[in-house]
Amino acid sequence: MQTLRGTKDILPEEIYHWQDIYYTVNKLLNIYNYHEIKTPILENTDLFLRSIGTETDIINKEMYTFEDQGQRSITLRPEGTASIARAYISNKMYEKSKINRLWYFGPMFRYERPQKGRQRQFNQLGIECLGTSSPIADIEVIKIANKVLETFGLKSYVIEINSIGNLEERTQYKDKLLNYLNQYKQDLDPDSQKRLISNPLRILDSKNLKTQNILINAPKIISCLNSESLKHFNTICEHLTYLNISYKINHRLVRGLDYYNYTAFEVKTNELGNQNTICGGGRYDKLIEQLGGPITPSVGWAIGIERLLLLATNNKIKKLSIYIIIQGTEKRQQIWDIIQIIEECKITFSLNITGNNLAKQLKQAHHSPAQICFIIGEEEIKNNYITIKWLKNSEQQKVKLSYLKAYLNTHKYLFTN
Ligand code: ATP
Ligand code: MG
């Protein structure tokens, strides 16, 4: 039996990193007053069709869509923002507060060719700041993305940023771009050729090298931006400079989803081969309206957790502190009193339950990551003490049970992390 292609089990040695990420981002986002939200993994297919945009890779070829027993078209969510927008509307979240700062963490599904850093079931951490068109919100979310990546020890990454303007500006730009690209029609990859008619801006996102080469001299969207769009974009750039967050303006950056306007950004690294984007985000001022909600200009991003883990340099290793060896099982109820004391001191322990002899259990203790070993044998039980062996240097001490708690509390710093 195998997992489905593009999906994988996360085993205990890896899950500690996941727990660490969840715990750390929870603490961090709490500081910024972002609140966690969990939406269903299943949604009406229509939600994604209406938000992500036709002629995007996600809609054209990546969705896991099926019909349920009631003949409804259901889709496993390919991304988080559409669901958040839906939840915001269906729960009337705008009634309680004008601004909603939200974050989510969970699995997403896209039918793609699996490679390193690219799976069919993958996880995203995302934040969304709903309810304001202020560029300060854009800066806040970019600053948080940077903070998250920094916190996990990522070093060589660049934040690429662009403004894709408003609908009017994009319409104007579309014509300019088409004028240019039509000259090279025959040399574009087949997908891009189709998009000349259906969605020309998507061509800018093409990964095809020949198409990318043609795009080098294409007109830039910035040439179509009016003063308001430019002001928004420049404010963000100025603040990022003030914050010492390095960024690169990429005039060809458009995102893989159609609901964005104004700010679009991606965080890229050169360490992951083709899967070089670790975070993607932007402003989406019209999405919530488009789905039937009130006017709610918003901005957010999503980070791919599998890619984050491939790059994180400060992965913590879960440590074990105490290894407990018991000799025999008769009259050994006292071990529960000892465990009670360890629990109260909040120290991690592992009880050897193999029933092996002392020598073998000691060997196992030495192979474990534990720092100290408790030996509870016949002598110990009879005389109410335990033998503590420091596994690093094999030093041994006898400690009276009545003194054990005090001993652990005073020595804890030596054998826990
Ligand atoms: P790519 O260009 O790599 O396909 P994308 O533009 O489709 O990325 P987004 O929709 O912006 O990605 O999603 C945000 C982040 O989620 C990505 O930057 C990436 O880290 C992660 N991600 C997206 N698709 C996958 C996938 N199939 N497997 C693993 N991570 C993914
Ligand atoms: Mg993609």
Side-chain angles (χ1 to χ4, degrees):
M1 294 294 278
Q2 296 264 312
T3 58
L4 293 176
R5 194 164 134 77
T7 70
K8 64 168 199 146
D9 300 312
I10 303 173
L11 300 178
E13 57 263 34
E14 195 190 333
I15 209 90
Y16 295 130
H17 305 319
W18 288 79
Q19 291 170 345
D20 181 46
I21 291 178
Y22 187 81
Y23 175 79
T24 307
V25 298
N26 188 9
K27 261 198 320 197
L28 178 81
L29 294 171
N30 200 25
I31 292 174
Y32 278 86
N33 198 31
Y34 279 72
H35 303 278
E36 189 182 11
I37 177 168
K38 263 196 198 300
T39 61
I41 285 166
L42 301 175
E43 296 273 2
N44 276 317
T45 304
D46 204 36
L47 170 65
F48 303 112
L49 297 182
R50 282 173 62 187
S51 48
I52 295 169
T54 47
E55 295 312 316
T56 57
D57 283 347
I58 294 182
I59 299 295
N60 281 350
K61 44 190 181 196
E62 295 176 358
M63 293 218 294
Y64 276 92
T65 297
F66 62 95
E67 209 170 76
D68 74 0
Q69 312 289 338
Q71 280 77 53
R72 297 171 201 90
S73 180
I74 307 288
T75 294
L76 294 177
R77 64 178 184 197
E79 60 108 36
T81 306
S83 304
I84 302 283
R86 200 263 315 127
Y88 176 81
I89 300 167
S90 50
N91 296 287
K92 297 197 171 64
M93 292 174 73
Y94 43 85
E95 281 182 354
K96 278 203 201 96
S97 158
K98 187 171 176 283
I99 306 249
N100 280 273
R101 290 182 165 95
L102 304 170
W103 68 276
Y104 60 88
F105 190 113
M108 306 294 161
F109 304 82
R110 296 185 195 175
Y111 192 79
E112 301 196 67
R113 198 167 65 77
Q115 304 158 59
K116 188 176 170 209
R118 189 176 297 284
Q119 292 173 200
R120 290 182 173 172
Q121 175 173 341
F122 61 99
N123 289 269
Q124 284 184 339
L125 160 71
I127 73 170
E128 314 287 356
C129 178
L130 310 176
T132 175
S133 58
S134 165
I136 302 295
D138 307 47
I139 300 153
E140 178 178 285
V141 302
I142 295 174
K143 182 179 189 300
I144 296 174
N146 188 57
K147 183 80 197 175
V148 169
L149 300 178
E150 229 177 56
T151 302
F152 292 105
L154 267 70
K155 291 193 178 71
S156 51
Y157 59 87
V158 268
I159 300 173
E160 293 192 358
I161 179 166
N162 191 19
S163 175
I164 56 169
N166 59 29
L167 191 61
E168 215 172 280
E169 292 156 347
R170 276 198 303 282
T171 311
Q172 212 184 75
Y173 176 63
K174 232 175 255 174
D175 290 341
K176 260 193 176 176
L177 184 66
L178 275 177
N179 267 342
Y180 173 82
L181 287 177
N182 274 328
Q183 306 169 72
Y184 305 97
K185 207 168 173 175
Q186 305 316 317
D187 301 322
L188 295 172
D189 62 278
D191 271 348
S192 296
Q193 283 182 12
K194 271 191 246 152
R195 283 170 174 159
L196 281 172
I197 296 151
S198 59
N199 196 344
L201 248 68
R202 288 254 63 82
I203 299 173
L204 296 176
D205 198 34
S206 166
K207 301 223 160 67
N208 182 284
L209 281 180
K210 212 166 156 195
T211 302
Q212 277 182 10
N213 272 332
I214 296 170
L215 286 166
I216 290 175
N217 294 316
K220 294 174 181 157
I221 192 155
I222 200 163
S223 64
C224 296
L225 299 190
N226 66 30
S227 59
E228 206 178 310
S229 300
L230 277 176
K231 197 167 128 209
H232 188 98
F233 185 57
N234 290 337
T235 305
I236 296 169
C237 294
E238 283 158 15
H239 282 244
L240 290 179
T241 305
Y242 178 80
L243 286 166
N244 243 335
I245 296 175
S246 52
Y247 63 91
K248 202 173 100 192
I249 296 174
N250 175 353
H251 292 290
R252 273 185 283 142
L253 178 78
V254 289
R255 305 271 305 110
L257 307 98
D258 277 354
Y259 49 64
Y260 290 109
N261 67 294
Y262 277 31
T263 321
F265 63 91
E266 281 184 350
V267 183
K268 290 185 179 156
T269 133
N270 49 21
E271 291 173 48
L272 288 176
N274 275 339
Q275 280 56 254
N276 62 353
T277 312
I278 166 142
C279 171
R283 175 163 280 287
Y284 51 97
D285 291 339
K286 298 280 184 263
L287 175 65
I288 289 170
E289 245 178 294
Q290 201 178 302
L291 293 174
I295 296 174
T296 313
S298 305
V299 56
W301 50 250
I303 289 177
I305 301 300
E306 282 77 6
R307 294 187 197 175
L308 179 70
L309 274 168
L310 287 170
L311 295 166
T313 55
N314 57 353
N315 284 339
K316 290 199 181 83
I317 295 164
K318 196 80 165 184
K319 277 194 187 153
L320 177 67
S321 299
I322 304 174
Y323 196 93
I324 306 175
I325 293 178
I326 2 164
Q327 283 293 281
T329 48
E330 263 170 63
K331 302 254 180 321
R332 295 295 184 268
Q333 294 90 324
Q334 240 170 325
I335 58 165
W336 303 115
D337 302 333
I338 295 164
I339 286 174
Q340 167 84 17
I341 294 169
I342 300 174
E343 259 185 327
E344 284 166 15
C345 296
K346 297 195 168 57
I347 299 171
T348 53
F349 71 94
S350 170
L351 179 62
N352 188 308
I353 45 176
T354 58
N356 287 333
N357 65 29
L358 179 65
K360 193 129 189 221
Q361 286 197 44
L362 268 172
K363 207 169 161 188
Q364 289 167 324
H366 276 287
H367 281 137
S368 82
Q371 307 288 305
I372 61 173
C373 172
F374 285 8
I375 301 168
I376 306 165
E378 211 167 308
E379 275 303 298
E380 281 86 355
I381 293 284
K382 214 170 14 182
N383 300 303
N384 283 314
Y385 72 90
I386 60 167
T387 299
I388 294 183
K389 186 175 181 130
W390 291 76
L391 291 163
K392 238 187 291 175
N393 53 16
S394 291
E395 246 176 53
Q396 246 171 252
Q397 280 154 306
K398 289 178 179 169
V399 176
K400 277 261 154 222
L401 278 191
S402 55
Y403 179 62
L404 182 62
K405 187 160 187 183
Y407 180 93
L408 290 180
N409 277 327
T410 43
H411 292 80
K412 200 156 114 172
Y413 75 97
L414 289 170
F415 60 82
T416 55
N417 53 326

